[in-house]
Amino acid sequence: MTANVVNPRQLALPVARVHGKPITSVPEDLYIPPNALAVLLDTFEGPLDLLLYLIRHQNLDICEIPIAKITEQYMGYVKLMHEFQLELAADYLVMAALLAEIKSRLLLPRREMLSLEEDPRAELVRRLQEYEQVRQAALDLDNLPRFEREHWAAQTAAEFEPPVRAQPEVKLPELLAAFQQLLKRADLLTHHQIKREPLSMRERMSRVLAQLQGQSALSFASFFAPEEGRRGVVVSLMAILELLKAQLIEVHQADEAYAPLMISLPTSPQAVAA
Amino acid sequence: MDRLALVLEAILLTAAKPLSLEQLESFFSSEEAVTRPQLRAALKVLADNCVGRSFELKETASGYRLQTREQYSTWVLKHHIEKPAKYSRTLLEILALIAWRQPITRAEIEEVRGVAVNGAVIKTLLEREWIRVLGHKEVPGRPEMLGTTRQFLDYFQLKSLDDLPSLMEVRDVDLATLVVEAPSD
Amino acid sequence: MDRLALVLEAILLTAAKPLSLEQLESFFSSEEAVTRPQLRAALKVLADNCVGRSFELKETASGYRLQTREQYSTWVLKHHIEKPAKYSRTLLEILALIAWRQPITRAEIEEVRGVAVNGAVIKTLLEREWIRVLGHKEVPGRPEMLGTTRQFLDYFQLKSLDDLPSLMEVRDVDLATLVVEAPSD
């Protein structure tokens, strides 16, 4: 729905005064059936759009509009709307008030020239120009080649293997932050005291190695005695990790999910010597 | 076409959206050691090799896309029963104002257009992901400031807002030229 | 490539599924007067023009389609590697508890956190192979004791659990200096 669609003849409003010739009467073609009038009103984006139409329809320049003439045409329009009791958007009435003000000013005797900022005509021309700019921009935008109107994504079929699902990434600081929050909440430190026990860990390392002597392999779990409590288990785990790090023991896992970890002495002789 | 250009063609012909240089880079492993200049050169080779085909390589705001050329739209359109959406003047004017004058508030849109902004239009534009809320203006009521998105640029085949057509000129008003006529009544 | 072959290329590059000869025919108006033999000949031209490209014309049971050649699957498959979601705070807290306080049972985790442990979280951590069952606690119900794995250490680039900051350190360290903002998007 653009203004271009509107049949210009329907909008050929009577000119109030052309080159000094006084207005005769409202021509018959102004009396559009109310329904048609409502449709016409719909084709305008607002009072500025209607005014622009009236100006452009008479091949006038915005900067040189005969304010009085345009005002009269606009008022004629608004009056018509009232006569047909069509609900007119408040914006149209606001514009009518502005035009009426301009008109009344023009009736006043010429005093000293108003400055541009004070002159309501200048303000109206500025707004009309600004609006015309937007109206043109909207047309330009619509004329740009558009995706899925002029262009479509060129796609080839590619049905290869099922997609790989990636795991979320997390960094140590995030883990620390989560833990810190938890600690603050639970106030763990006041209730539980956990200390590193390097000495007991060294001792446990020896014990693990001793257990493995003469054995082909022992399950990882067999190094943990739950009756020793949490601390004991942690020490065992740390001991085993230390031994692994020092390559004093090896850990194996059968090639299946969640198979038990098996611990053994290393097979290479130099590692045993270490 | 060299191998890299062919791989890029395969990637772009199976992409759901435009891909940036950075995204294209991520398709290659570190062993493949594909550099940015190589990528750019291969994209150029690909673009050249689309001459004389029904599709072209287009760079928009979010990246590169292979798309059918405009002259084939007559036939391509027939895939769809419905014609592509036509947007109302209201929507296009509001979108144009947001595009050219962003960041802009509803009140500012209303001021220029001289009419109240229909909330449904803003909602449509937001849902279409052509516009987004850029922030709030620090004036009473903290109104939302609206701006366009990358998708908007992608849809209108633009690389950046600079590619928007220039606005028609606004001339200074010379009061002397304003025709002052005595009203008829 | 002749015009008809180009139009067919554009149609097939924008088709959601393979198109039969009959379906392809329906893209042309009666004025265009495209005959079956012409269509077949144009498809042959198109197929020949796909030599040296990343895609080929394939005739399947339901019709013709343009598809990526298999040798490009390595790269094309990477479209599917979606950026993974982030782990929840709950998961990180549980993982942290297991790391610092291993071996630990679910009941003990619940005691510290004050809420029931979501089984799905433990499952995720087990699947990710960051935690494992160290054994069973010799108390009624013989609950599983959980601990971290070598993969956990490897992932977080720790040589051993000793490299984890002590509880005191965790409490006092200024994490603002540690937590690097993940890049958005």
Side-chain angles (χ1 to χ4, degrees):
Chain A
M1 289 224 283
T2 65
N4 319 345
V5 181
V6 178
N7 181 354
R9 257 173 298 148
Q10 281 183 296
L11 277 169
L13 294 179
V15 172
R17 176 186 282 257
V18 186
H19 300 305
K21 271 193 200 166
I23 184 169
T24 47
S25 63
V26 178
E28 278 180 14
D29 66 349
L30 189 62
Y31 292 98
I32 316 160
N35 289 345
L37 208 56
V39 170
L40 275 180
L41 196 62
D42 270 353
T43 66
F44 291 109
E45 288 293 315
L48 288 169
D49 196 27
L50 172 56
L51 272 175
L52 266 184
Y53 179 84
L54 295 174
I55 293 163
R56 288 290 175 223
H57 186 60
Q58 292 169 66
N59 290 318
L60 295 171
D61 190 302
I62 297 179
C63 289
E64 292 161 13
I65 46 165
I67 296 279
K69 192 158 83 180
I70 291 302
T71 300
E72 271 182 28
Q73 290 188 356
Y74 184 89
M75 295 307 226
Y77 226 103
V78 169
K79 218 170 115 194
L80 205 57
M81 300 287 177
H82 270 300
E83 269 171 38
F84 288 119
Q85 294 180 322
L86 289 175
E87 207 173 303
L88 203 59
D91 313 298
Y92 284 89
L93 299 175
V94 170
M95 179 58 72
L98 175 71
L99 290 169
E101 196 209 327
I102 294 175
K103 195 171 135 185
S104 64
R105 281 219 196 185
L106 293 176
L107 284 170
L108 292 172
R110 283 289 188 91
R111 288 179 302 158
E112 60 268 36
M113 285 295 275
L114 290 159
S115 74
L116 262 180
E117 295 84 67
E118 286 173 278
D119 193 317
R121 292 175 301 160
E123 170 64 10
L124 179 65
V125 170
R126 187 194 62 76
R127 287 186 64 191
L128 280 169
Q129 281 202 86
E130 195 176 40
Y131 177 67
E132 192 180 38
Q133 201 182 38
V134 171
R135 211 171 68 161
Q136 187 56 48
L139 279 177
D140 290 346
L141 198 60
D142 203 26
N143 286 332
L144 287 176
R146 199 184 301 169
F147 190 61
E148 286 171 353
R149 194 181 66 180
E150 278 87 21
H151 301 280
W152 280 265
Q155 300 243 276
T156 51
E159 281 147 23
F160 303 123
E161 310 135 51
V164 187
R165 213 177 106 240
Q167 305 275 19
E169 297 296 315
V170 58
K171 292 209 169 62
L172 191 58
E174 291 173 63
L175 188 63
L176 285 175
F179 195 35
Q180 195 176 45
Q181 285 299 310
L182 179 66
L183 290 179
K184 281 195 182 129
R185 240 175 33 231
D187 201 15
L188 260 179
L189 293 159
T190 56
H191 300 104
H192 309 271
Q193 216 52 66
I194 296 187
K195 281 191 188 142
R196 292 280 152 83
E197 291 168 274
L199 275 178
S200 66
M201 193 181 75
R202 301 305 302 180
E203 185 193 74
R204 191 61 56 99
M205 284 165 71
S206 313
R207 207 161 87 194
V208 168
L209 286 173
Q211 272 178 279
L212 283 168
Q213 295 300 323
Q215 304 281 339
S216 59
L218 287 171
S219 82
F220 184 81
S222 67
F223 293 98
F224 299 93
E227 61 274 17
E228 288 179 338
R230 184 180 305 149
R231 198 174 294 181
V233 176
V234 171
V235 170
S236 288
L237 179 63
M238 303 279 275
I240 288 169
L241 290 172
E242 269 306 303
L243 288 168
L244 279 169
K245 201 165 100 183
Q247 294 182 312
L248 292 169
I249 56 169
E250 285 179 346
V251 64
H252 313 273
Q253 188 177 27
D255 195 15
E256 59 179 278
Y258 309 124
L261 288 172
M262 298 301 288
I263 306 287
S264 68
L265 292 169
T267 40
S268 53
Q270 70 268 32
V272 176
Chain B
M1 259 210 277
D2 62 63
R3 181 156 183 79
L4 187 54
L6 282 166
V7 170
L8 289 176
E9 183 185 62
I11 292 170
L12 290 172
L13 282 174
T14 49
K17 50 182 174 46
L19 295 175
S20 65
L21 267 185
E22 203 172 23
Q23 286 169 320
L24 284 170
E25 213 170 32
S26 74
F27 278 78
F28 300 93
S29 64
S30 49
E31 295 93 70
E32 288 172 292
V34 175
T35 65
R36 284 278 168 104
Q38 284 173 331
L39 268 185
R40 279 210 189 82
L43 283 166
K44 177 81 180 64
V45 171
L46 175 57
D48 291 345
N49 274 279
C50 292
V51 173
R53 307 291 304 204
S54 66
F55 57 96
E56 62 191 347
L57 182 68
K58 180 85 193 174
E59 190 188 354
T60 62
S62 14
Y64 296 88
R65 163 161 73 198
L66 287 169
Q67 61 181 33
T68 52
R69 291 177 193 273
E70 193 169 338
Q71 64 258 47
Y72 301 100
S73 64
T74 321
W75 295 277
V76 171
L77 269 172
K78 296 191 185 170
H79 281 301
H80 314 281
I81 300 161
E82 283 176 41
K83 290 214 165 126
K86 259 199 161 173
Y87 292 101
S88 68
R89 263 182 75 200
T90 310
L91 182 139
L92 287 166
E93 283 187 8
I94 291 172
L95 182 58
L97 262 174
I98 296 171
W100 269 273
R101 296 276 193 85
Q102 59 191 300
I104 190 168
T105 64
R106 280 190 194 210
E108 288 160 350
I109 295 171
E110 289 176 355
E111 205 185 299
V112 175
R113 296 187 64 244
V115 278
V117 165
N118 181 353
V121 171
I122 299 286
K123 205 167 153 248
T124 302
L125 289 171
L126 283 168
E127 275 170 8
R128 199 83 230 251
E129 295 193 335
W130 280 353
I131 65 162
R132 65 191 161 143
V133 175
L134 298 174
H136 295 266
K137 195 164 180 166
E138 288 308 328
V139 294
R142 301 187 75 249
E144 288 174 340
M145 290 188 298
L146 303 168
T148 53
T149 60
R150 255 188 191 186
Q151 285 93 321
F152 162 80
L153 293 172
D154 288 343
Y155 254 91
F156 289 92
Q157 308 269 309
L158 304 167
K159 256 159 87 170
S160 77
L161 287 171
D162 288 339
D163 291 345
L164 281 173
S166 51
L167 286 176
M168 61 183 277
E169 219 181 308
V170 170
R171 280 161 305 154
D172 284 334
V173 183
D174 180 3
L175 273 187
T177 67
L178 284 177
V179 179
V180 180
E181 269 177 300
S184 59
D185 54 333
Chain C
M1 258 209 277
D2 61 64
R3 181 154 184 83
L4 187 54
L6 283 166
V7 171
L8 289 176
E9 184 183 60
I11 293 170
L12 290 172
L13 282 175
T14 49
K17 50 181 174 47
L19 296 174
S20 65
L21 269 183
E22 203 173 20
Q23 287 169 318
L24 284 171
E25 219 169 27
S26 73
F27 278 77
F28 300 92
S29 63
S30 51
E31 296 93 70
E32 287 173 294
V34 175
T35 65
R36 284 280 167 104
Q38 283 173 329
L39 267 187
R40 278 208 188 83
L43 283 166
K44 176 81 180 64
V45 171
L46 176 57
D48 291 346
N49 275 280
C50 291
V51 173
R53 305 295 299 206
S54 68
F55 55 94
E56 61 195 338
L57 182 69
K58 259 268 163 8
E59 192 186 350
T60 67
S62 43
Y64 294 89
R65 76 170 180 195
L66 288 168
Q67 62 181 39
T68 307
R69 290 178 196 273
E70 197 156 353
Q71 64 256 48
Y72 301 100
S73 63
T74 321
W75 295 277
V76 168
L77 275 173
K78 295 190 184 170
H79 281 301
H80 303 295
I81 303 173
E82 283 166 37
K83 202 157 188 233
K86 281 191 88 171
Y87 281 132
S88 65
R89 175 149 286 258
T90 306
L91 181 139
L92 292 176
E93 282 185 10
I94 290 172
L95 178 60
L97 264 176
I98 294 170
W100 269 272
R101 309 210 40 209
Q102 58 191 298
I104 189 169
T105 64
R106 280 187 193 215
E108 288 161 348
I109 295 171
E110 286 173 2
E111 196 186 311
V112 176
R113 295 189 64 245
V115 281
V117 167
N118 179 355
V121 170
I122 299 289
K123 202 167 156 254
T124 302
L125 288 171
L126 283 168
E127 276 172 1
R128 184 91 209 230
E129 296 191 336
W130 278 350
I131 66 161
R132 60 187 166 165
V133 176
L134 297 174
H136 293 268
K137 191 161 184 170
E138 289 307 327
V139 294
R142 300 188 71 251
E144 288 174 340
M145 290 186 300
L146 303 168
T148 53
T149 61
R150 185 165 216 143
Q151 285 91 326
F152 166 82
L153 294 176
D154 288 345
Y155 187 88
F156 289 97
Q157 301 193 12
L158 302 167
K159 277 204 297 230
S160 76
L161 287 172
D162 278 337
D163 289 347
L164 281 176
S166 71
L167 284 188
M168 291 303 284
E169 284 165 357
V170 169
R171 199 186 58 169
D172 298 334
V173 72
D174 180 11
L175 282 168
T177 62
L178 283 174
V179 181
V180 184
E181 274 290 311
S184 59
D185 196 25

